[in-house]
Amino acid sequence: MEGGESDDDQVMSEVHLGCPPNFSGPYVTHFTFSLPPNKADLIGTKIISLDEDGDLALARRKGDQNHAYDTGCQSFKLDDDGDLVLSRKRKSRVARSICKLTVQHSITSSLPNVGLQVWMAELLLSDYLLHRSFISSSFDDITALELGAGTGLAGIVLARIAKTVFLTDYGNEILDNCAKNVRLSSSFSELNEASIHVRELNWKESWPPHTETIQKSKYSWTASEVAEAERATLILAADVIYSDDLTESLFNILEKLMSRGSEKVLYLALEKRYNFSLDDLDVVANGYAKFRSFCKDDEECRMPDDVLLPCFVGEQIDIFKIPQYIREYERGRDLELWRIRYCKKRSPLV
């Protein structure tokens, strides 16, 4: 195994460095983050729109006689003559609220059970999902699928606004813990627990998964759930890049998922972890080179005759443009966030 690690070795996420040492068994952490002022509370009607970069896009409802807008620090109106009327908002109405998200996790685990821990990239992806939910409605009422959900934190954050979220992973211990976190978070921002489905998904097996009239386990898929998952438009994954074999299995299942049903986009967060490789006799980030080999740009997917080959097209997102809402981690330079889409084979126009 890369880095000389075996399946029995215990590993620990940096997120857990402040947890009690030598603690065994499940541990509960309350992740806290601040919410920006509610736009509806600020001006009485939801007429604010921000683009994906967080810039203000002014809008108003049809029929409004007094055109009210918001700039983030002041609200303002235009009178009947079109002149600007400024009014300072009351302090109590712009105070940020603090939310807590309760997550049960392990402090250490074996390599096959790393999904029992919370990892840095999972928090980065959660920050991105929070940010998108604050500045746009593009994720509202969507169906999403998370691969390697682990504790389920990112998918639970998305479930605040999504219609349906499938949290998938492999192994009953990880799935049981993920389902526990869904229950623990049921009071989080009026979360609809029924909109979250915890399901088993083995990346080394085929998609769609086998469905049974009588389910073998509580994490088995039904035929209707498979159909709904294929209509998903968003796929999430975090901290799933740490070995070449796993990365290859990930992109195999992604190709099957993204080539079926609705067009999908993948948001993948990762942390490059460096270990000494006996194969390379050098310090390498396990799985990262394999990951980059799958991600192409548009030109790399094209043949000389302009035929577009099936491939994954990846675009790295500047994480320094994403505010940090969750307090319990520090972003390092080895964290990355990618937007990835799958391009099916396409012939040139005749």
Side-chain angles (χ1 to χ4, degrees):
M1 177 168 292
E2 294 170 326
E5 295 173 327
S6 72
D7 285 355
D8 295 329
D9 288 338
Q10 293 291 300
V11 295
M12 184 178 71
S13 166
E14 292 182 7
V15 176
H16 305 147
L17 290 179
C19 296
N22 303 318
F23 184 90
S24 61
Y27 187 81
V28 173
T29 296
H30 301 286
F31 290 95
T32 57
F33 56 91
S34 59
L35 296 178
N38 185 288
K39 295 187 284 290
D41 289 342
L42 289 177
I43 54 178
T45 55
K46 293 185 178 180
I47 60 175
I48 298 301
S49 175
L50 300 175
D51 61 24
E52 292 189 9
D53 294 324
D55 297 324
L56 183 66
L58 296 179
R60 64 182 178 87
R61 290 186 185 275
K62 291 183 179 179
D64 283 349
Q65 293 182 350
N66 292 323
H67 308 331
Y69 301 95
D70 182 82
T71 62
C73 62
Q74 286 185 320
S75 62
F76 61 88
K77 293 182 179 181
L78 302 180
D79 62 19
D80 293 337
D81 296 325
D83 296 324
L84 189 64
V85 179
L86 290 175
S87 61
R88 181 71 60 178
K89 290 195 288 285
R90 289 175 296 178
K91 183 176 181 181
S92 61
R93 301 192 73 183
V94 299
R96 289 176 176 263
S97 59
I98 304 299
C99 283
K100 291 185 179 181
L101 184 56
T102 303
V103 176
Q104 175 179 282
H105 59 87
S106 295
I107 296 177
T108 64
S109 70
S110 62
L111 281 173
N113 285 325
V114 290
L116 294 173
Q117 298 190 58
V118 178
W119 299 88
M120 291 283 194
E122 184 177 8
L123 298 175
L124 170 62
L125 181 58
S126 298
D127 265 341
Y128 179 75
L129 296 171
L130 285 168
H131 188 54
R132 285 292 296 272
S133 73
F134 298 151
I135 67 171
S136 80
S137 59
S138 56
F139 289 166
D140 289 5
D141 298 320
I142 64 169
T143 297
L145 179 73
E146 183 174 9
L147 302 179
T151 63
L153 193 154
I156 291 170
V157 166
L158 178 64
R160 293 170 53 250
I161 57 173
K163 176 185 176 183
T164 305
V165 177
F166 291 96
L167 303 179
T168 71
D169 215 308
Y170 184 69
N172 282 339
E173 188 175 3
I174 294 174
L175 293 168
D176 285 343
N177 188 68
C178 185
K180 172 74 171 180
N181 284 328
V182 172
R183 294 191 295 273
L184 287 173
S185 304
S186 59
S187 61
F188 167 62
S189 191
E190 299 181 357
L191 185 70
N192 180 11
E193 188 177 338
S195 68
I196 307 177
H197 305 283
V198 179
R199 293 293 176 261
E200 185 169 59
L201 184 58
N202 185 345
W203 299 351
K204 296 185 178 181
E205 294 182 355
S206 62
W207 176 272
H210 298 295
T211 58
E212 305 290 342
T213 304
I214 301 176
Q215 295 186 348
K216 292 183 178 179
S217 80
K218 55 186 174 181
Y219 304 120
S220 297
W221 295 78
T222 65
S224 62
E225 289 172 347
V226 170
E228 185 173 10
E230 291 190 348
R231 292 192 296 269
T233 55
L234 178 66
I235 299 178
L236 305 175
D239 273 306
V240 293
I241 306 296
Y242 50 87
S243 79
D244 286 353
D245 290 344
L246 186 68
T247 302
E248 189 159 351
S249 296
L250 169 65
F251 278 90
N252 284 339
I253 194 69
L254 280 172
E255 184 173 12
K256 296 169 185 174
L257 284 167
M258 299 180 80
S259 61
R260 298 170 63 100
S262 301
E263 183 175 350
K264 301 170 178 63
V265 62
L266 164 69
Y267 286 91
L268 186 149
L270 63 88
E271 181 180 6
K272 291 186 286 186
R273 296 181 179 86
Y274 295 94
N275 293 284
F276 184 80
S277 168
L278 294 176
D279 294 335
D280 300 301
L281 295 180
D282 197 1
V283 175
V284 298
N286 294 335
Y288 186 74
K290 175 68 75 172
F291 161 72
R292 291 301 303 267
S293 72
F294 280 103
C295 289
K296 313 291 184 181
D297 58 35
D298 283 320
E299 292 304 315
E300 290 179 295
C301 295
R302 294 184 184 277
M303 296 288 285
D305 55 359
D306 207 34
V307 173
L308 189 64
L309 297 176
C311 68
F312 292 95
V313 178
E315 172 192 0
Q316 189 171 355
I317 298 171
D318 186 353
I319 66 173
F320 296 105
K321 291 184 177 180
I322 306 169
Q324 183 168 339
Y325 299 98
I326 300 176
R327 302 175 174 184
E328 287 79 10
Y329 79 112
E330 294 183 7
R331 290 186 189 168
R333 62 182 181 178
D334 294 324
L335 284 173
E336 294 183 0
L337 179 63
W338 289 76
R339 181 189 295 110
I340 300 171
R341 55 190 174 88
Y342 180 71
C343 291
K344 302 176 184 179
K345 183 175 180 180
R346 188 173 73 238
S347 299
L349 296 175
V350 179

